[in-house]
Amino acid sequence: MSHIMIRINRELLQYITELQDSGITCETYGPGEEIIGQKKRVLSVRIVKSGIVKCYLTEDNGNDFIQEFFGEGEIFGEIEVLNGNPSFCALETITDTEVCKIPGDRFGELLQTDKKFNELILKALASKVHYTAIRHSYHQSHAIEDNLLRLKKQFPRLIDVIAKRDIANYLGVTLRSLNRTINGMRNKGI
Amino acid sequence: MSHIMIRINRELLQYITELQDSGITCETYGPGEEIIGQKKRVLSVRIVKSGIVKCYLTEDNGNDFIQEFFGEGEIFGEIEVLNGNPSFCALETITDTEVCKIPGDRFGELLQTDKKFNELILKALASKVHYTAIRHSYHQSHAIEDNLLRLKKQFPRLIDVIAKRDIANYLGVTLRSLNRTINGMRNKGI
DNA sequence: CATAATATGGGACAAATGTCCTTTTTCATT
DNA sequence: AATGAAAAAGGACATTTGTCCCATATTATG
């Protein structure tokens, strides 16, 4: 549960890694590749083995809003496979990335037959609800500066790893505002 | 999936209603009662039979932020029971309310033994992730007026049923800003 | 290496939102 | 009907954030 901004789920990653299942395959991506497009059908569930993937949503007015950064063990596509909707987010790698790919029907079978897997997925979903709720609440009720301080505390290498534009889109503010805030903090010696 | 602001889950409600289970009891509340306090231990999962419950979070700076309004069939407490954390939200009735109460251990048993129940909970969780993601993204990237229009479209009786303060806290803005926006819309004849 | 594309940084001004405070309205209770 | 508490409404001003634009770095690529 270390840095919350880039979500990880070691328990799930370990379980999936140890699960010898011929249906589960591995994919590799370079930086900046799109894994799933917004509004596309989702046929497989994926779990990050290594790397960072951003999960974002482009609004009708052209603004991008980043929902989450997925790190090791984080799962995506499961929401869509479960309820049969097209993807509401786009998924794009930030760094070099490896993912496990579980076909949708195999995912359904595992949920039914593997109690431990079922439990891990329930917990992963509960965790997503929990953290997004806390994050959005914090964002809505605090100034940009507070949010930045919180992120840096969680993840000191933030500015080296994540592009400014992405940080701004994650906080739901403009790049200009983010820069202004960083400047203000520098002047105050933070 | 009708009005999204006040979330409902008919399928789950129906299933729970038809499930004859001696462990599941019923509770009734008047308006404005607290069902679960923030940071309290949660020992039971609850499902709304009738009424509206607000799920909100008080930040360190005293701001309240409303996560969701739960209507018929919506479940709460399941996140906490699943991962064993204290409640991150407070739950408070808005109208007269009836809820089904499922003790945590019984909830765990049902998940293990009742495939249909398990599936409904998985879908309910997936749905929560889906809708909160979409809502927060919309809120962050649109002006108050757009958000209000969206809410009114989803739920025309909004202003009659939900207090202004609650609408403001749901949108993550101040009451003053909300009033100003409503005024501006009136002048424009919206 | 040259050039283009992209990321970063910031000035000047406009617009949106928040803060503080006062007034009015509504509504429950005596 | 009288009173008080809570909800709603809004004036005046401060602050924050956004928009538009341009300049400078940095990186990718032919």
Side-chain angles (χ1 to χ4, degrees):
Chain A
M1 214 69 83
S2 53
H3 43 74
I4 291 174
M5 181 188 184
I6 299 186
R7 311 265 297 111
I8 60 170
N9 188 339
R10 293 202 198 290
E11 207 183 349
L12 181 59
L13 179 59
Q14 188 180 351
Y15 193 77
I16 272 298
T17 304
E18 289 172 1
L19 189 70
Q20 303 295 335
D21 188 305
S22 56
I24 301 178
T25 55
C26 192
E27 294 176 329
T28 61
Y29 296 89
E33 284 193 66
E34 183 174 89
I35 303 182
I36 298 178
Q38 192 175 340
K39 293 182 184 165
K40 292 281 186 294
R41 284 185 66 194
V42 180
L43 301 173
S44 300
V45 174
R46 288 178 173 84
I47 294 170
V48 178
K49 286 178 76 172
S50 66
I52 300 176
V53 177
K54 76 172 168 183
C55 170
Y56 70 103
L57 199 153
T58 304
E59 289 287 344
D60 47 13
N61 58 15
N63 289 341
D64 282 355
F65 180 72
I66 296 183
Q67 293 285 348
E68 301 206 53
F69 294 97
F70 293 134
E72 293 176 17
E74 278 296 315
I75 185 170
F76 57 91
E78 85 286 16
I79 313 286
E80 291 82 356
V81 166
L82 279 168
N83 63 23
N85 293 336
S87 175
F88 59 98
C89 284
L91 286 134
E92 188 182 307
T93 57
I94 289 189
T95 62
D96 283 309
T97 301
E98 292 175 291
V99 301
C100 293
K101 181 178 173 183
I102 311 174
D105 46 3
R106 184 72 194 119
F107 179 72
E109 284 168 17
L110 280 172
L111 281 177
Q112 295 235 343
T113 57
D114 184 335
K115 280 214 187 316
K116 179 67 182 170
F117 183 77
N118 186 290
E119 186 198 329
L120 286 173
I121 299 303
L122 279 168
K123 285 188 176 174
L125 283 168
S127 199
K128 277 194 184 184
V129 175
H130 187 137
Y131 282 107
T132 64
I134 285 177
R135 156 163 114 82
H136 288 130
S137 175
Y138 197 90
H139 284 184
Q140 291 272 12
S141 32
H142 291 81
I144 301 177
E145 182 170 319
D146 294 327
N147 278 296
L148 249 189
L149 283 172
R150 180 163 169 271
L151 291 189
K152 274 186 163 175
K153 205 169 183 179
Q154 286 171 12
F155 183 39
R157 295 194 310 126
L158 179 69
I159 299 196
D160 307 321
V161 178
I162 311 286
K164 287 276 168 72
R165 161 116 272 146
D166 283 344
I167 298 176
N169 287 342
Y170 180 73
L171 292 175
V173 300
T174 60
L175 189 50
R176 182 69 191 89
S177 299
L178 179 66
N179 274 325
R180 191 157 30 210
T181 304
I182 291 174
N183 234 314
M185 290 165 73
R186 198 165 22 230
N187 292 337
K188 282 192 276 178
I190 302 181
Chain B
M1 217 70 83
S2 54
H3 41 74
I4 292 173
M5 181 189 184
I6 299 186
R7 312 264 298 112
I8 59 171
N9 187 338
R10 293 203 198 291
E11 208 183 348
L12 181 58
L13 179 59
Q14 189 182 348
Y15 193 77
I16 272 297
T17 304
E18 289 171 0
L19 190 70
Q20 303 295 334
D21 189 306
S22 56
I24 301 179
T25 55
C26 192
E27 294 175 329
T28 62
Y29 296 90
E33 286 193 63
E34 183 174 271
I35 303 182
I36 298 177
Q38 191 174 340
K39 295 182 183 166
K40 291 282 186 293
R41 283 187 66 193
V42 180
L43 301 174
S44 300
V45 173
R46 289 179 174 83
I47 294 171
V48 178
K49 287 178 75 172
S50 67
I52 299 175
V53 177
K54 76 172 170 183
C55 169
Y56 70 101
L57 201 152
T58 304
E59 288 287 345
D60 47 13
N61 57 15
N63 289 340
D64 281 355
F65 180 72
I66 296 184
Q67 293 286 348
E68 302 206 53
F69 294 98
F70 292 134
E72 292 176 16
E74 278 295 316
I75 186 171
F76 56 89
E78 85 286 17
I79 313 286
E80 291 82 356
V81 166
L82 278 168
N83 62 23
N85 293 335
S87 175
F88 59 97
C89 285
L91 286 133
E92 187 181 308
T93 58
I94 289 189
T95 63
D96 282 310
T97 301
E98 291 175 291
V99 301
C100 293
K101 180 178 173 184
I102 311 174
D105 47 3
R106 183 73 194 118
F107 179 72
E109 284 168 17
L110 280 171
L111 281 178
Q112 295 234 343
T113 57
D114 185 333
K115 280 213 188 316
K116 179 68 181 169
F117 183 78
N118 186 290
E119 186 198 328
L120 286 173
I121 298 303
L122 279 168
K123 284 187 176 175
L125 283 168
S127 201
K128 276 194 184 184
V129 175
H130 187 138
Y131 283 106
T132 62
I134 286 178
R135 156 163 116 80
H136 288 130
S137 175
Y138 197 90
H139 284 184
Q140 292 272 11
S141 34
H142 291 81
I144 300 178
E145 182 170 318
D146 295 327
N147 279 296
L148 249 189
L149 284 172
R150 181 162 169 272
L151 291 189
K152 275 186 162 177
K153 203 170 186 178
Q154 286 172 11
F155 183 39
R157 296 194 310 125
L158 178 70
I159 299 195
D160 307 321
V161 179
I162 311 286
K164 288 277 170 69
R165 161 114 273 147
D166 283 345
I167 298 176
N169 286 342
Y170 180 72
L171 292 176
V173 300
T174 61
L175 189 49
R176 183 69 191 91
S177 300
L178 179 66
N179 274 325
R180 194 159 25 214
T181 303
I182 291 175
N183 234 314
M185 290 165 74
R186 198 166 21 232
N187 292 337
K188 283 193 275 179
I190 300 180

